[in-house]
Amino acid sequence: MDFSLTREQEMLKKLAAEFAEKELEPAAAEMDREHKFNEENFAKMAKLGFTGLGIPREYGGSGGGATEKVIVVSEFAKKCLTSAATLSIHSITPGVILKHGTEEQKKKYLPMLTEGGHLAAFALTEPGAGSDAAGVKTTAVYDAETDEFVINGTKCFITGGARASVLIIFAQTKPELGVKGLSAIIVEKGTPGFTSGKIEEKMGLAGSETAELVFEDCRVPAANLVGKEGQGFKIAMEALDGARVGVGASAVGLAEGAIDLSVKYMHERVQFGKPIAALQGLQWYLAEMGTRTETARWMVYYAAYLQDSQKPFTKEAAMCKLAGSETARFVSNLAMQIHGGYGYMKDYPLERIYRDAKITEIYEGTSEVHKVVISRAMLGK
Ligand SMILES: Cc1cc2nc3c(=O)[nH]c(=O)nc-3n(C[C@H](O)[C@H](O)[C@H](O)COP(=O)(O)OP(=O)(O)OC[C@H]3O[C@@H](n4cnc5c(N)ncnc54)[C@H](O)[C@@H]3O)c2cc1C
């Protein structure tokens, strides 16, 4: 058993940490305040090859796999959860195309979504289909005359959906088959019949746009089908396993960032004539924060290792997402407590970190759903 990173992974970690400190941290407060997606920083991520992680070089990617993504996403989240989430969620779509796409789809879409700096989105959720993803009602009816799918329906809460150049959407191509009639289809921005609706106002993760998407007789070539017809649910669940490792990684990074701020503050803040670092009550908070974060980190790395080794990792992905997100909430809460009244003020990053932490317990599957996934695996169901 080897717990160390390779030399290349150490270099990647350093590069990601420097980028996060130099580019992401200074922009984080403004993104949060203005509820504004940071195009410049996403373009820089692409230039440095972060958007190409997990994709082979022949398609414009940077190589590497789940472990490399975990390293980068954690480093980003230490300084800005929104930026980490942007990268992590963006990477779902090229990952699906790489695994299930045709050679034409790979050649057409992967270079633009990696080195090309175009944003991608993954659209599964609908007003009536959240945790119950099989309840998707959007339809994609095949038109043999034109060899196209005609898409109708509404998606909601789609990260980057209004801005993305390429989206994978999930729609019923054979509604009579229920979940077995669900298919994954590529839709490009600007396709007639596809518009974005409301951009949600959120509690946190404010620099990430969460959009409603509307499809009204939106026609896409049948060649945009990803995988086979009826494989949509399987593709979505498999993609979400990987995405959950990303959420776990971002949650651990956020917790590490909150710990770093807390340690610094405990040394600086003086009460009763000495730094608050001398107070045992706060020392114990710190010990619990550190222990939980380390526990979650190794779960995240283990899930990424399983994924990279092509071994089953559904249970471990759910576990690391559950543990990571609970840790993020726990740690950000105690970090704010350590900062006292100053932590509650918008002048300090803790207030944003505290609000941002909550989303990790909700998206890419709620904590409750993860408990269902984990217990099912444990019971052999
Ligand atoms: C900021 C943000 C970004 C998002 N980005 C995307 C995206 O890019 N693409 C995308 O497709 N979706 C996205 N989502 C959607 C997200 O994945 C869903 O919100 C999430 O899966 C929960 O679905 P829901 O909101 O409909 O809640 P519901 O499913 O209505 O859940 C309500 C409550 O019931 C509980 N519950 C539901 N089913 C069960 C069960 N079987 N057992 C126990 N408890 C249960 C839930 O845990 C929750 O507590 C995003 C959401 C947010 C908030």
Side-chain angles (χ1 to χ4, degrees), residues 18 33 64 72 89 192-193 208 225 255 266 303 309-310 318 356 362 375 381:
E18 284 169 1
R33 201 171 46 245
V72 169
I89 296 170
S208 159
L225 180 72
M266 282 171 72
S309 316
Q310 321 273 317
D356 280 352
I362 295 173
S375 58
K381 284 188 181 175

Side-chain angles (χ1 to χ4, degrees), residues 89 92 121-132 155-161 170 202 204-205 208-210 240 244 359 361-369 372 376:
I89 296 170
I92 304 173
F122 178 88
L124 177 63
T125 304
E126 296 184 1
S131 301
D132 180 12
K155 298 282 175 187
C156 66
F157 298 168
I158 306 306
T159 302
F170 294 85
K202 304 191 294 296
L205 209 72
S208 159
E209 290 168 344
T210 309
L240 284 175
R244 286 164 183 172
I359 189 57
E361 292 186 303
I362 295 173
Y363 66 3
E364 317 282 7
T366 62
S367 297
E368 292 78 11
V369 164
V372 173
R376 262 193 206 147

Side-chain angles (χ1 to χ4, degrees), residues 19-329:
F19 177 72
E21 194 172 338
K22 188 162 160 264
E23 308 288 353
L24 305 182
E25 187 175 29
E30 190 191 337
M31 280 164 79
D32 179 58
R33 201 171 46 245
E34 308 291 329
H35 289 227
K36 195 164 157 264
F37 180 79
N38 194 316
E39 277 185 62
E40 300 78 31
N41 275 349
F42 187 72
K44 286 176 192 163
M45 285 182 206
K47 206 167 166 212
L48 287 169
F50 294 126
T51 52
L53 285 170
I55 304 296
R57 293 181 199 281
E58 59 178 303
Y59 299 117
S62 323
T67 306
E68 284 70 22
K69 270 197 242 173
V70 158
I71 291 168
V72 169
V73 166
S74 286
E75 289 304 320
F76 284 12
K78 270 189 203 173
K79 304 297 184 189
C80 174
L81 185 76
T82 295
S83 303
T86 297
L87 178 67
S88 184
I89 296 170
H90 161 83
S91 75
I92 304 173
T93 291
V96 170
I97 295 174
L98 178 70
K99 179 133 192 221
H100 298 280
T102 60
E103 196 52 35
E104 288 70 34
Q105 289 169 349
K106 290 180 199 175
K107 284 194 179 126
K108 181 171 181 192
Y109 296 112
L110 293 182
M112 61 188 280
L113 298 179
T114 52
E115 60 194 4
H118 287 263
L119 187 68
F122 178 88
L124 177 63
T125 304
E126 296 184 1
S131 301
D132 180 12
V136 163
K137 292 277 182 284
T138 295
T139 54
V141 177
Y142 180 63
D143 180 346
E145 264 184 42
T146 57
D147 197 28
E148 289 171 325
F149 285 110
V150 186
I151 306 171
N152 279 287
T154 303
K155 298 282 175 187
C156 66
F157 298 168
I158 306 306
T159 302
R163 184 180 290 272
S165 303
V166 179
L167 303 91
I168 287 190
I169 70 136
F170 294 85
Q172 290 285 355
T173 46
K174 295 225 163 40
E176 67 280 9
L177 297 181
V179 73
K180 291 195 175 141
L182 210 57
S183 300
I185 298 171
I186 296 172
V187 178
E188 292 181 31
K189 186 180 178 150
T191 307
F194 164 41
T195 50
S196 58
K198 184 182 177 205
I199 304 287
E200 304 289 343
E201 293 259 336
K202 304 191 294 296
M203 164 185 174
L205 209 72
S208 159
E209 290 168 344
T210 309
E212 178 190 46
L213 309 179
V214 180
F215 300 91
E216 288 168 312
D217 291 332
C218 170
R219 289 179 167 269
V220 299
N224 284 18
L225 180 72
V226 182
K228 294 201 173 68
E229 221 183 314
Q231 283 186 333
F233 191 70
K234 186 176 155 278
I235 291 173
M237 292 304 113
E238 189 186 274
L240 284 175
D241 282 345
R244 286 164 183 172
V245 180
V247 178
S250 68
V252 166
L254 176 139
E256 283 184 299
I259 290 173
D260 290 347
L261 290 170
S262 301
V263 169
K264 187 166 176 282
Y265 193 74
M266 282 171 72
H267 285 305
E268 285 169 5
R269 175 71 173 161
V270 173
Q271 286 293 278
F272 299 99
K274 51 189 177 188
I276 60 172
L279 301 172
Q280 194 183 47
L282 300 192
Q283 291 169 1
W284 286 22
Y285 281 169
L286 203 56
E288 279 188 72
M289 291 155 74
T291 306
R292 289 211 198 189
T293 304
E294 279 302 297
T295 308
R297 184 215 312 279
W298 292 110
M299 294 179 81
V300 168
Y301 275 132
Y302 181 54
Y305 154 78
L306 291 175
Q307 189 181 355
D308 282 337
S309 316
Q310 321 273 317
K311 292 179 179 158
F313 70 107
T314 298
K315 182 183 75 179
E316 289 74 11
M319 282 178 163
C320 83
K321 201 268 190 183
L322 178 66
S325 57
E326 287 185 347
T327 298
R329 181 169 48 81

